[in-house]
Amino acid sequence: MEEKKKVWDKVNQWEDELRILREIIHKTELVETNKWGGEVYTVNNKNVLGIGGFKNFFTIWFINGVFLKDEAKVLINANEGVTKGLRQWRFSSAEEINEKLILHYINEAIANEKAGLSIKPEKKEAMKCDFFEAELSKDNTLKNAFEKFTPGKQKEFWEFMATAKQEKTKISRFEKIKLMIIEGIGLNDKYRK
């Protein structure tokens, strides 16, 4: 029995149109993967584009589409003010599919990815917690053990402590993590592979 491929088609009405897009994409060096419940295409394990179907349209979305020249003016930002890099090319019928133009955009997107053009997520400052800071400064063993963690793991501890509102919650959270820190166990290590 053939396994059904997971396709991002929320209304199941664009099967033929998505097949046409898939055939065009397969003429490039992109590798098909399945992420976020649908087809995403990569080069050098970096996401370049995806395809999918929605109620009123089917689409190619370019992960870093903001860097495409868009000479044909076909790309839109589907979530203005929120989406920084992603751009969609929407279609409402198979007749709108222009293979030559689509390949031009895909090849430009591949070149951009290889050139490293991408929008990096903004780094948020770690939250601070006076209680946790005071506890660290009181105990050199604890402080030294904490400083051995990567900045990302340190941030997880800071946020865990900073989000506690009441003093009793801060105390119980600190008691929970103190031994973990000394033993070099990150707050979320049990969830990592």
Side-chain angles (χ1 to χ4, degrees), residues 148-171:
K148 290 179 182 172
F149 285 108
T150 63
K153 288 187 178 186
Q154 288 181 13
K155 182 180 174 189
E156 289 172 354
F157 282 114
W158 279 113
E159 289 183 0
F160 181 68
M161 291 302 301
T163 55
K165 303 285 184 249
Q166 298 181 9
E167 193 71 16
K168 66 180 182 180
T169 308
K170 290 178 186 188
I171 293 167

Side-chain angles (χ1 to χ4, degrees), residues 35-83:
K35 297 181 183 182
W36 310 301
E39 294 166 67
V40 174
Y41 296 84
T42 65
V43 67
N44 300 328
N45 291 320
K46 300 283 187 184
N47 300 332
V48 176
L49 61 90
I51 61 173
F54 297 88
K55 183 177 179 183
N56 298 316
F57 62 90
F58 59 101
T59 184
I60 299 176
W61 61 85
F62 294 92
I63 306 297
N64 285 299
V66 69
F67 296 107
L68 294 171
K69 292 182 188 100
D70 193 20
E71 293 116 350
K73 304 288 183 233
V74 294
L75 301 179
I76 63 163
N77 183 337
N79 203 351
E80 203 67 52
V82 177
T83 304

Side-chain angles (χ1 to χ4, degrees), residues 13-21 24 52-60 89-99 102:
Q13 69 186 32
W14 304 110
E15 188 176 331
D16 292 338
E17 291 83 354
L18 291 172
R19 181 186 43 74
I20 295 167
L21 289 181
I24 293 170
F54 297 88
K55 183 177 179 183
N56 298 316
F57 62 90
F58 59 101
T59 184
I60 299 176
W89 184 348
R90 293 180 176 178
F91 307 89
S92 57
S93 72
E95 290 74 36
E96 295 176 8
I97 297 174
N98 177 334
E99 181 174 332
I102 290 171

Side-chain angles (χ1 to χ4, degrees), residues 1-192:
M1 189 169 146
E2 189 178 312
E3 185 181 324
K4 179 99 169 108
K5 186 173 14 176
K6 200 166 189 187
V7 176
W8 189 286
D9 186 358
K10 295 300 173 198
V11 288
N12 300 315
Q13 69 186 32
W14 304 110
E15 188 176 331
D16 292 338
E17 291 83 354
L18 291 172
R19 181 186 43 74
I20 295 167
L21 289 181
R22 194 177 303 111
E23 288 170 1
I24 293 170
I25 295 166
H26 285 165
K27 294 178 180 180
T28 71
E29 64 186 284
L30 292 175
V31 175
E32 185 176 316
T33 62
N34 206 288
K35 297 181 183 182
W36 310 301
E39 294 166 67
V40 174
Y41 296 84
T42 65
V43 67
N44 300 328
N45 291 320
K46 300 283 187 184
N47 300 332
V48 176
L49 61 90
I51 61 173
F54 297 88
K55 183 177 179 183
N56 298 316
F57 62 90
F58 59 101
T59 184
I60 299 176
W61 61 85
F62 294 92
I63 306 297
N64 285 299
V66 69
F67 296 107
L68 294 171
K69 292 182 188 100
D70 193 20
E71 293 116 350
K73 304 288 183 233
V74 294
L75 301 179
I76 63 163
N77 183 337
N79 203 351
E80 203 67 52
V82 177
T83 304
K84 297 199 179 358
L86 190 134
R87 295 295 181 267
Q88 285 187 354
W89 184 348
R90 293 180 176 178
F91 307 89
S92 57
S93 72
E95 290 74 36
E96 295 176 8
I97 297 174
N98 177 334
E99 181 174 332
K100 186 177 177 189
L101 190 58
I102 290 171
L103 282 171
H104 174 73
Y105 273 69
I106 292 172
N107 288 322
E108 183 183 350
I110 292 168
N112 288 348
E113 182 57 52
K114 287 180 176 180
L117 295 178
S118 67
I119 293 183
K120 305 290 183 234
E122 293 175 18
K123 291 199 179 210
K124 293 190 299 185
E125 286 296 312
M127 296 176 166
K128 290 294 177 189
C129 173
D130 293 338
F131 174 86
F132 188 42
E133 197 158 351
E135 292 298 323
L136 287 173
S137 64
K138 280 193 254 180
D139 185 338
N140 274 343
T141 305
L142 184 66
K143 185 176 183 176
N144 290 336
F146 183 74
E147 289 172 352
K148 290 179 182 172
F149 285 108
T150 63
K153 288 187 178 186
Q154 288 181 13
K155 182 180 174 189
E156 289 172 354
F157 282 114
W158 279 113
E159 289 183 0
F160 181 68
M161 291 302 301
T163 55
K165 303 285 184 249
Q166 298 181 9
E167 193 71 16
K168 66 180 182 180
T169 308
K170 290 178 186 188
I171 293 167
S172 69
R173 285 186 180 189
F174 178 72
E175 291 305 317
K176 175 184 175 183
I177 65 172
K178 185 176 179 181
L179 189 58
M180 291 173 73
I181 292 171
I182 291 170
E183 292 178 355
I185 301 169
L187 183 64
N188 296 312
D189 282 359
K190 66 182 179 185
Y191 303 111
R192 294 183 173 97

